[in-house]
Amino acid sequence: YGVDKKGIEAKVETVEYDTSKVNDFESLAKKLAITATTGSFIERGQAARELDMMARQITGISKARSVAAMARMLIESGESVLLSGWHREVYKIWLDELQEFNPVMYTGSETIKQKEQSKEDFISGKSKVMIISNKSGAGLDGLQYVCSSLIIGELDWSPKTHEQLEQRIDREGQENPIMIIYPVSEEGSDPVIMDLCGLKN
């Protein structure tokens, strides 16, 4: 993906995915796709939304262990990692795979107090990985002093969301080069979202 004008290195890395998860999804996806093209106006809209959500979740689940392995490599090399995602089922896999690094959560499910504790644990080094929701963290400050590595574990339809995640660590006080990694699957929703966001450029 290259180095931008601010010196931020961004990489798109193809990762392995669990084919069984994708295969389990295909039959249900076909039913939703048929409804999305042949149902009533309301049925079509609902089926299309369900298909989008399901495709993104299955894509996230199918590559979750590979994404966790990537985070593990960075942590074991001495980095603290900000890991972003969207689906709770994906978070559960990451929490399990990275439990030895005391992962903390900063998503839509934690209270303000819990989020503050997560931030403190991450900044103090008690935790080496913070799992953050793609849409969370407005105004979150302090991570830049301990973290310069962001893994966008689940893509968002909007590149602006990716930029906002980048800004969680690209803030005044950041003294290290920033690295952003987009681990992507060759199956599921990633190829379509990559095209839309321009990540293939």
Side-chain angles (χ1 to χ4, degrees), residues 84-135:
S84 78
W86 184 247
H87 295 98
R88 299 226 64 86
E89 293 303 314
V90 175
Y91 298 158
K92 286 178 186 175
I93 296 169
W94 290 345
L95 287 168
D96 182 56
E97 293 289 314
L98 299 169
Q99 60 182 327
E100 70 197 83
F101 304 111
N102 192 29
V104 294
M105 302 283 287
Y106 202 103
T107 72
S109 299
E110 293 76 42
T111 64
I112 293 172
K113 186 176 181 180
Q114 288 171 325
K115 286 179 180 177
E116 190 59 33
Q117 186 62 56
S118 291
K119 175 184 167 181
E120 287 178 19
D121 288 349
F122 189 64
I123 291 174
S124 71
K126 183 177 178 182
S127 169
K128 297 300 287 180
V129 58
M130 177 185 277
I131 297 170
I132 187 169
S133 166
N134 286 354
K135 304 290 186 182

Side-chain angles (χ1 to χ4, degrees), residues 120-185:
E120 287 178 19
D121 288 349
F122 189 64
I123 291 174
S124 71
K126 183 177 178 182
S127 169
K128 297 300 287 180
V129 58
M130 177 185 277
I131 297 170
I132 187 169
S133 166
N134 286 354
K135 304 290 186 182
S136 289
L140 178 61
D141 192 32
L143 306 187
Q144 70 270 25
Y145 300 112
V146 297
C147 178
S148 59
S149 298
L150 165 65
I151 299 177
I152 298 182
E154 288 189 273
L155 300 179
D156 193 271
W157 284 110
S158 170
K160 287 291 181 192
T161 299
H162 300 157
E163 288 176 21
Q164 288 164 357
L165 287 164
E166 172 189 308
Q167 290 164 10
R168 306 291 174 256
I169 57 174
D170 182 23
R171 303 172 81 88
E172 186 175 345
Q174 176 61 261
E175 296 183 350
N176 297 307
I178 291 173
M179 180 168 58
I180 303 167
I181 302 174
Y182 297 85
V184 297
S185 169

Side-chain angles (χ1 to χ4, degrees), residues 1 11-13 52-53 55-57 59-60 63 67 84-87 90 94 134-135 151-159 161-162 165 180-200:
Y1 192 58
K11 298 179 179 180
V12 175
E13 298 282 348
D52 169 47
M53 287 185 62
R56 290 175 65 200
Q57 179 171 333
T59 301
K63 66 180 183 178
V67 171
S84 78
W86 184 247
H87 295 98
V90 175
W94 290 345
N134 286 354
K135 304 290 186 182
I151 299 177
I152 298 182
E154 288 189 273
L155 300 179
D156 193 271
W157 284 110
S158 170
T161 299
H162 300 157
L165 287 164
I180 303 167
I181 302 174
Y182 297 85
V184 297
S185 169
E186 293 181 335
E187 298 292 326
S189 60
D190 276 359
V192 179
I193 297 176
M194 285 173 64
D195 277 342
L196 184 69
C197 291
L199 293 182
K200 286 186 178 178

